[in-house]
Amino acid sequence: MFETDALRLLVAVAETGSFTGAAARLSYTQSAVSRRIATLEQQAGGALFERLPRGVRPTPAGRALHRHAVEVLDRLSRAEHELAVLHAGHGGLLHVGAFATANISLLPTALRGLHETRPDVEVVAVEGPTDTLLRRLGDATLDIAVVSDYPSGLPQADGVTTTVLCEDELLVALPREHRLAGAETVDLRELRDEAWLQSAYGDRPTMLADACARAGFTPRKIIRIAEWAGKFGYAGAGLGVALVPSLAARAVPDGLVLRHLSDPALRRTVHVALPPAPLPAALELRELLHAATSP
């Protein structure tokens, strides 16, 4: 209803007590101030100032609108400052997304470095699958995300760019008492009779399905489990085996061992994804993520 310039003028008139003083403060002519205040009074539905022999005095309506105008202009000023700081990379909110195993060590290491160099940046962390993270980048609700092509390839999102961070080997998690637990490398064909703990299989192409096809078999059984804690629990109980990326090695419980697989294609690519106009803090975090994955 009210333009911000008109509200600034109202505040200046109320604080200086005259149209002349407000005109001098805001570099207007006195006639321009009179016209703008008259228009504002029409919008407000009544007089905002009493015209006195010397100067003006706010009416009750003028005092009420002045109070709100001060609050609105203060909030706009703080918003302007916050946005300026944010776009300069010196502070503000940074919405960061990552898939689950990136949150074990990779992303926390990079965020620690960002906190040291940009302590005024407040990170809002979001965990989710890659397709969700890329969609949120495209919708401008995330500023940066760590994503991967596991298990079904890297989806595309309009305007989102990705940069490869690292190759992440996929290992097999076995119970310590498993017959292959002592092997340095396991041939996938030796696991043809095992149940596999997977969040996705059969409804779309996956790396595990492709690898099993190359090895000449189809898994005997798929147990659909999405969360890593559940996969580790089932594997530890001897109910199945699971592909585990090396990024998750730190989280593997003592009752399991990780073993290399002979198929060199069983690895995923980890990417950092950015929206079309990334924030400076997001660009700095990208460099810290690259540093965290460097040998």
Side-chain angles (χ1 to χ4, degrees):
M1 180 178 181
F2 305 115
E3 296 179 357
T4 55
D5 286 345
L7 294 179
R8 289 191 181 93
L9 187 57
L10 171 77
V11 171
V13 172
E15 291 180 351
T16 61
S18 71
F19 290 169
T20 302
R25 176 185 289 189
L26 299 178
S27 299
Y28 286 171
T29 64
Q30 183 175 346
S31 60
V33 172
S34 297
R35 289 195 301 272
R36 293 296 299 274
I37 291 298
T39 299
L40 187 60
E41 287 178 323
Q42 290 178 349
Q43 292 175 318
L48 297 174
F49 294 98
E50 295 179 42
R51 276 66 170 175
L52 306 174
R54 293 185 177 181
V56 296
R57 180 172 59 199
T59 64
R63 288 194 296 273
L65 186 56
H66 173 263
R67 184 177 69 254
H68 289 292
V70 169
E71 294 176 0
V72 168
L73 293 173
D74 178 64
R75 289 181 68 87
L76 288 174
S77 176
R78 285 189 282 123
E80 184 179 10
H81 174 71
E82 182 177 336
L83 289 173
V85 168
L86 179 65
H87 289 297
H90 301 308
L93 297 176
L94 184 68
H95 294 82
V96 181
F99 55 85
T101 52
N103 281 327
I104 294 173
S105 177
L106 172 59
L107 183 57
T109 298
L111 288 177
R112 180 177 59 197
L114 183 69
H115 179 70
E116 292 171 355
T117 59
R118 294 279 189 259
D120 293 332
V121 172
E122 182 180 349
V123 172
V124 179
V126 176
E127 184 176 291
T130 286
D131 55 352
T132 299
L133 298 175
L134 289 173
R135 185 169 61 252
R136 294 191 63 173
L137 279 168
D139 294 341
T141 56
L142 280 181
D143 300 311
I144 184 173
V146 181
V147 297
S148 86
D149 58 358
Y150 180 81
S152 304
L154 190 66
Q156 299 298 312
D158 290 343
V160 175
T161 58
T162 59
T163 304
V164 173
L165 279 176
C166 64
E167 294 289 324
D168 191 21
E169 182 182 4
L170 297 175
L171 310 170
V172 63
L174 304 171
R176 287 195 174 275
E177 62 274 12
H178 194 279
R179 57 187 175 82
L180 299 173
E184 183 176 342
T185 301
V186 174
D187 190 306
L188 197 61
R189 286 171 292 190
E190 297 181 89
L191 300 171
R192 64 188 310 134
D193 294 326
E194 300 286 348
W196 284 87
L197 309 166
Q198 277 280 110
S199 59
Y201 194 97
D203 48 353
R204 60 184 186 274
T206 61
M207 289 185 182
L208 176 61
D210 290 344
C212 291
R214 286 193 297 272
F217 73 94
T218 300
R220 175 182 65 83
K221 183 180 181 181
I222 298 293
I223 300 176
R224 298 269 185 150
I225 297 180
E227 301 298 329
W228 288 104
K231 290 179 181 179
F232 293 154
Y234 272 63
L239 300 175
V241 299
L243 288 180
V244 176
S246 60
L247 284 179
R250 288 190 181 185
V252 174
D254 291 338
L256 296 175
V257 296
L258 295 179
R259 293 295 177 255
H260 298 281
L261 289 161
S262 57
D263 187 339
L266 276 170
R267 59 186 60 245
R268 66 179 178 179
T269 306
V270 179
H271 304 252
V272 58
L274 291 168
L279 296 173
L283 294 174
E284 183 165 346
L285 180 57
R286 180 182 65 179
E287 297 311 307
L288 291 166
L289 285 163
H290 279 290
T293 57
S294 299

